[in-house]
Amino acid sequence: MTIEHHKPPRDKNTTVEIAGLDLNFHAFQLDTKTPTGGKIAKVFGFNPDQSAYVMQWRDDGDLEDLRVQEEADLDNGTKFIVAKADSTNRIRIEGEGFDWPSDTITGAVVRKLGGISADRGIYLERTDEADRLIEDSDVVKIKTAGVEQFQSRKPEVWELNVQGKKITSLTPVISVVEALTRTGFDPEAWIIILKVAGQPKRQLSVGDEIDLRAPGIEKVRLTAKDVNNGEAHAAPPRDFALLDVDESYLDGLRLRWETTASDGNRWLIIRDYPVPDGYTARITTLALMVPATYPQAEIDMFYAHPPLQRSTGAAIPATEATQVIGRLPFQRWSRHRGAVAPWNPQRDNVVTHLALVESALLQEVGE
């Protein structure tokens, strides 16, 4: 008597993962353990007449083309990438070459293909400029004459002091809006001044960006556009910044001062400026025109409202011209530096020019 041993039928069903160019994989059931490239494309939703490019993402990290009739060895990996493409572009990630079936690739896909951890930055290598930091959301064009190369490294951390609060950035350029928002300030409510060592302070707008690679960046300083406690007057306008030495000196005078723009010029306005004896007035509103490139460009002359007059009634030479500032007429005092002591941006500023103003006022009354 012969006993027949029947083997159980071999289970041909298997599960593979298939993704498009975004590398978002989904599981698919197959009725074979040796699927062809055409089978993978069909399961993923491609018609036979569509130009489907199929690759097997092997367990060792390689991408291997899979032709329509070619069978995949699932022992090498069960992940597949399917894209509509006729050709590929060569890239290198961490020194390893890949053929990618698209003219572009995102930073997120580079990270996945290269197995790059989230704590490392991805940089697109450049020969004639700084390597470009690639964010996961960035789309990089890779159809070029050469081979685009991506490398990962610990990202550089950039620091910025915003009104005494330090923030860090993984990118060398940060927007003014982001810098202020991250430190809890409303960008629309402040006058924003950037201080860079060895350079004049620069006023920023909410649409500006700050390049943290620039040498000497110290901090961002904020001045409220409007301060009112219900009793006091609103804070004087500060449309542009002066040098630190200027502002310290003016604050020390205990006079109300402001910076404002009028008819294309920048003005420092000092209220209740004291006038020496010998004039009909004891105080005046003094104005200095501050060039946009100050202190490289000099401050010249000064202006007074209302016009200053000697107590004797005698005319004051070179004060006949009038300059309108903020709809008010100011008397122009045409007083200039001589050749003996010309303007020197290394030492001259608002403080030294006010010394010239004081000496000019005293000279006209014989003191």
Side-chain angles (χ1 to χ4, degrees):
M1 177 177 172
T2 303
I3 301 176
E4 295 184 4
H5 296 278
H6 296 281
K7 294 182 180 180
R10 183 180 180 185
D11 183 11
K12 294 184 178 181
N13 291 332
T14 189
T15 301
V16 298
E17 294 179 86
I18 309 175
L21 295 177
D22 57 4
L23 298 192
N24 289 325
F25 286 91
H26 298 278
F28 293 86
Q29 289 285 344
L30 299 181
D31 58 4
T32 176
K33 290 185 178 294
T34 56
T36 63
K39 179 75 171 182
I40 295 294
K42 181 179 179 181
V43 169
F44 196 58
F46 276 73
N47 297 323
D49 58 345
Q50 287 181 296
S51 180
Y53 199 98
V54 181
M55 294 184 296
Q56 183 179 17
W57 193 0
R58 295 163 52 102
D59 292 338
D60 60 10
D62 285 344
L63 292 179
E64 190 173 88
D65 296 349
L66 190 63
R67 295 185 298 275
V68 174
Q69 300 299 330
E70 184 180 2
E71 293 183 348
D73 183 352
L74 297 185
D75 289 337
N76 292 327
T78 58
K79 286 186 175 181
F80 296 86
I81 300 171
V82 180
K84 185 177 180 180
D86 296 317
S87 61
T88 60
N89 291 288
R90 189 71 171 170
I91 60 174
R92 297 187 70 83
I93 303 175
E94 305 282 65
E96 183 177 352
F98 294 88
D99 291 310
W100 188 244
S102 175
D103 294 345
T104 61
I105 193 169
T106 66
V109 169
V110 172
R111 186 176 297 280
K112 290 180 181 179
L113 285 177
I116 300 170
S117 61
D119 64 339
R120 296 182 66 84
I122 299 173
Y123 293 82
L124 177 60
E125 292 190 344
R126 288 288 179 256
T127 56
D128 54 350
E129 58 185 286
D131 292 349
R132 174 186 163 193
L133 176 63
I134 304 299
E135 301 291 345
D136 285 358
S137 59
D138 289 344
V139 178
V140 181
K141 182 179 179 181
I142 58 175
K143 188 175 183 178
T144 62
V147 177
E148 297 289 19
Q149 303 200 47
F150 299 88
Q151 290 287 346
S152 76
R153 56 178 180 261
K154 286 287 185 180
E156 296 182 69
V157 177
W158 309 85
E159 288 190 351
L160 179 64
N161 184 320
V162 180
Q163 199 66 15
K165 298 181 179 181
K166 284 189 176 181
I167 60 173
T168 59
S169 174
L170 296 181
T171 58
V173 178
I174 187 171
S175 70
V176 167
V177 170
E178 180 182 352
L180 267 66
T181 301
R182 286 178 56 186
T183 47
F185 295 99
D186 179 0
E188 298 292 345
W190 301 88
I191 296 169
I192 307 159
I193 305 300
L194 177 65
K195 297 188 68 177
V196 180
Q199 298 182 21
K201 289 180 292 185
R202 179 164 62 94
Q203 183 171 342
L204 304 175
S205 67
V206 293
D208 287 337
E209 293 183 329
I210 304 171
D211 189 342
L212 302 177
R213 294 167 296 192
I217 284 187
E218 293 181 355
K219 60 183 177 181
V220 170
R221 196 187 68 189
L222 306 176
T223 301
K225 290 182 178 179
D226 186 19
V227 177
N228 195 320
N229 62 7
E231 297 176 358
H233 295 294
R238 298 282 194 268
D239 288 350
F240 62 91
L242 300 171
L243 302 178
D244 282 343
V245 65
D246 297 337
E247 296 187 0
S248 296
Y249 179 77
L250 291 168
D251 289 340
L253 294 177
R254 298 188 179 278
L255 299 176
R256 188 168 180 264
W257 62 274
E258 61 197 59
T259 57
T260 186
S262 176
D263 297 325
N265 294 316
R266 306 195 318 166
W267 298 96
L268 166 62
I269 308 295
I270 305 175
R271 309 288 183 184
D272 301 326
Y273 186 83
V275 176
D277 293 338
Y279 292 92
T280 57
R282 298 305 303 244
I283 59 174
T284 189
T285 296
L286 183 71
L288 304 182
M289 185 187 294
V290 182
T293 55
Y294 166 78
Q296 279 69 36
E298 70 175 299
I299 300 174
D300 190 28
M301 304 186 289
F302 61 94
Y303 305 77
H305 172 81
L308 295 177
Q309 298 176 343
R310 289 192 181 109
S311 300
T312 63
I316 304 174
T319 60
E320 299 83 7
T322 298
Q323 173 73 45
V324 176
I325 306 173
R327 299 184 181 180
L328 294 177
F330 278 70
Q331 176 191 39
R332 188 183 76 181
W333 284 61
S334 185
R335 303 295 188 269
H336 314 279
R337 293 171 177 268
V340 176
W343 178 271
N344 184 336
Q346 300 302 318
R347 66 167 183 262
D348 286 312
N349 46 44
V350 167
V351 179
T352 60
H353 195 71
L354 286 176
L356 181 150
V357 171
E358 184 177 356
S359 63
L361 292 175
L362 288 170
Q363 183 178 354
E364 295 304 328
V365 292
E367 294 189 21

